[in-house]
Amino acid sequence: MRKERLVDRLRICVGGSGETLMSISSRYGIGLGQLKALNPQIPSADISIEGLIVNLPLQRQSAGASAESRVVAPFCPPVPQSQFFSTWIPVTTAEKMAKQEYDVLVIGTGAGGGASIWRLCEQLAGSGKRIGVVERGDLFLPTNVSNIPTMNGANFRLYAPPEMKMIGNRLPEYAGAKVVYALGGRTLFWGAVTPRMPLSELAKWPVPIEEMDLYYKIAEQVMNVTTSYTQDSSITEVLLNRLWAHGYPEADKLPIAADLAQTSYGKLHSNVLFSSITFLARALSRRPFDLAVNTPAVEVVTDKGKVAGVKVMTLDKGPFMIRSKHVIVSASALQTPRILLNSGIPGRSIGHYLTNHSYLVATASVSTKGFDDPVGALGIIIPQTEGRPYQLQLQGPEQYFNYHFDHKPIKTEWGISFFYASGLVESRYENYVYIEPGNRDEYGLPEIQVKFAYSSKDEAVVQEMYAAMQRAAERMQVDIATLDGTPAICFFTPGTDYHESGTCRMGVDPDTSATNLYGEIHGVSGLFIADNSVLPTIGAANPTLSTVALAIRTADHIVRRLG
């Protein structure tokens, strides 16, 4: 009976719209410290408590009240059941977003989209501007797949989740192509290698080199780019010294987007290898944004030369129009031109200048006899230079470049899991992405087709790469395996490299470029591109860092416009 009387005597109220513990304290004349002590489930006195049950102190009893009915503290309210693992990031619906008008709407959440969202939220943190995001895929992983404790280099290479669509089987000239439909896009599965573009390539871009240096620094800082991933690794240090001693002074430790900081002041570092999910988390720490998943963008809508919004579809195939003053398309170098072409966006260069890397991969091994322990991780890059139109990269050993709980054996002969060369490919109008109106997906969006071939110059670079891999292997004392008496070096099918770019390249001439130097489509005010599409050239370097740097720069430009 006593418990029943205590419950009967518990005083509660329900927070109203815009109320906080601070306002409840004022309304009831109750000390804020007392309220906070009675409501430990509410972490702060100034956050919204709309709809939450708030415990209030019992009214003063008369002198004759029974001691049995007195309460020292009320019962804590039940903790609501969390849906965190199915909704680990706040999401909304396209239907709700269609009732709003946004200042900026971002399509896609990969490297470029994620960087744009983060920078917009950071720069507009104190404003009332509305930011919306639509993503064709679903919530898949809240981190880079390599951060999963059971993942190692061996199964990482074989991992092909259902969110990854192998579209190359219907692209005969680009048979290795893949797209990823998931929040975070390809950054959930990338290797996190983040070199800068060579100066010889940046000199061809419309963006001043000094400005690119600034935005590279911002990108490297927010992505935690470091060459310390292989720190104190004897296999990396020995092979680097061999390269330096034999004509490769530019060789360096591989730059990796990895958070290697120790826990300090109670701050936890929950992810090592970077993904765009970190961009989204950083963005949410500054201000909210609306995010709809499973929401393909099918058409950019314009009015009198200005962007007006985006038509999207949902899983039940329901169309919605989401209005926005600015739209950033970051759907990838294959998907972005698909959306623009379906929208009838004018531009001779949209979809054209499709560029990738030619790739050679070797099967190789190295003797580590006499190396200091621990052998550690292998990560080396030989960058592109004026006289070297390719980049060499080594990672390993075997599956142990990034691993968690694998038992690493002790031995003196190790395989190299990645020894490859990426080659310079000409950016040519003749290589392009186009749509097939008679072949549409389940949302009514025309499928893409690709026209692509390597030029004679591209093939000459491949020949250089073939000889260069053998020469570098000899200098490092790395053994390339042979097959039927020839080196075991294979050629990647076009599209396998994941580095396609250039299909909405930036430039000053609308005849040879799709966007201006801020990523805005020529002739369409407010329509921006922020993914690999805008890169004018990519040389032989991995493109992600450059895409992120340009996306941050584009976001800054939009913020200045918003005033």
Side-chain angles (χ1 to χ4, degrees), residues 355-546:
T355 311
N356 69 355
H357 287 138
S358 54
Y359 259 86
L360 292 181
V361 181
T363 300
S365 62
V366 62
S367 170
T368 56
K369 187 175 182 179
F371 287 21
D372 292 338
D373 289 327
V375 170
L378 169 63
I380 290 176
I381 187 171
I382 303 175
Q384 174 188 355
T385 62
E386 285 282 0
R388 184 188 300 131
Y390 53 83
Q391 172 182 287
L392 299 181
Q393 187 172 315
L394 291 90
Q395 286 177 246
E398 298 171 13
Q399 73 263 38
Y400 300 102
F401 180 73
N402 51 329
Y403 66 96
H404 300 274
F405 298 104
D406 274 7
H407 176 68
K408 190 173 182 180
I410 298 174
K411 57 182 183 177
T412 57
E413 187 75 22
W414 285 97
I416 296 174
S417 51
F418 290 96
F419 179 21
Y420 57 79
S422 55
L424 172 68
V425 172
E426 288 188 289
S427 297
R428 298 188 297 132
Y429 185 84
E430 294 78 11
N431 289 335
Y432 62 96
V433 177
Y434 63 97
I435 57 174
E436 300 178 308
N439 182 15
R440 296 176 180 265
D441 68 10
E442 65 271 30
Y443 298 102
L445 191 60
E447 298 285 8
I448 63 166
Q449 190 50 257
V450 172
K451 294 291 290 183
F452 185 84
Y454 290 120
S455 69
S456 57
K457 288 185 178 179
D458 300 336
E459 291 172 352
V461 171
V462 173
Q463 293 299 319
E464 283 190 60
M465 289 158 54
Y466 190 88
M469 292 182 77
Q470 297 178 76
R471 185 166 57 251
E474 180 183 352
R475 306 290 167 82
M476 290 184 290
Q477 300 174 35
V478 165
D479 295 322
I480 295 179
T482 58
L483 184 64
D484 296 329
T486 60
I489 301 175
C490 63
F491 185 66
F492 269 8
T493 303
T496 307
D497 61 303
Y498 253 166
H499 292 176
E500 59 267 358
S501 63
T503 50
C504 293
R505 70 203 305 238
M506 64 167 53
V508 296
D509 185 352
D511 284 337
T512 58
S513 62
T515 81
N516 65 18
L517 73 165
Y518 291 106
E520 187 173 25
I521 290 288
H522 292 303
V524 184
S525 178
L527 178 56
F528 293 84
I529 311 299
D531 56 27
N532 285 7
S533 304
V534 298
L535 301 178
T537 63
I538 57 171
N542 311 57
T544 303
L545 183 68
S546 299

Side-chain angles (χ1 to χ4, degrees), residues 88-137:
W88 40 263
I89 187 170
V91 295
T92 186
T93 65
E95 183 177 10
K96 289 182 179 179
M97 291 182 68
K99 297 175 182 178
Q100 308 288 341
E101 181 174 14
Y102 292 90
D103 293 284
V104 189
L105 180 67
V106 181
I107 300 173
T109 57
S116 302
I117 296 163
W118 163 70
R119 190 63 167 182
L120 288 169
C121 287
E122 182 195 54
Q123 298 295 301
L124 298 174
S127 74
K129 305 299 183 183
R130 297 192 67 93
I131 300 172
V133 182
V134 293
E135 165 59 53
R136 174 166 181 152

Side-chain angles (χ1 to χ4, degrees), residues 325-365:
K325 299 180 181 70
H326 301 84
V327 171
I328 301 176
V329 187
S330 303
S332 82
L334 296 179
Q335 299 298 305
T336 290
R338 180 187 185 192
I339 295 169
L340 298 185
L341 292 170
N342 186 56
S343 306
I345 301 298
R348 178 178 180 270
S349 297
I350 293 176
H352 289 265
Y353 298 98
L354 172 63
T355 311
N356 69 355
H357 287 138
S358 54
Y359 259 86
L360 292 181
V361 181
T363 300
S365 62

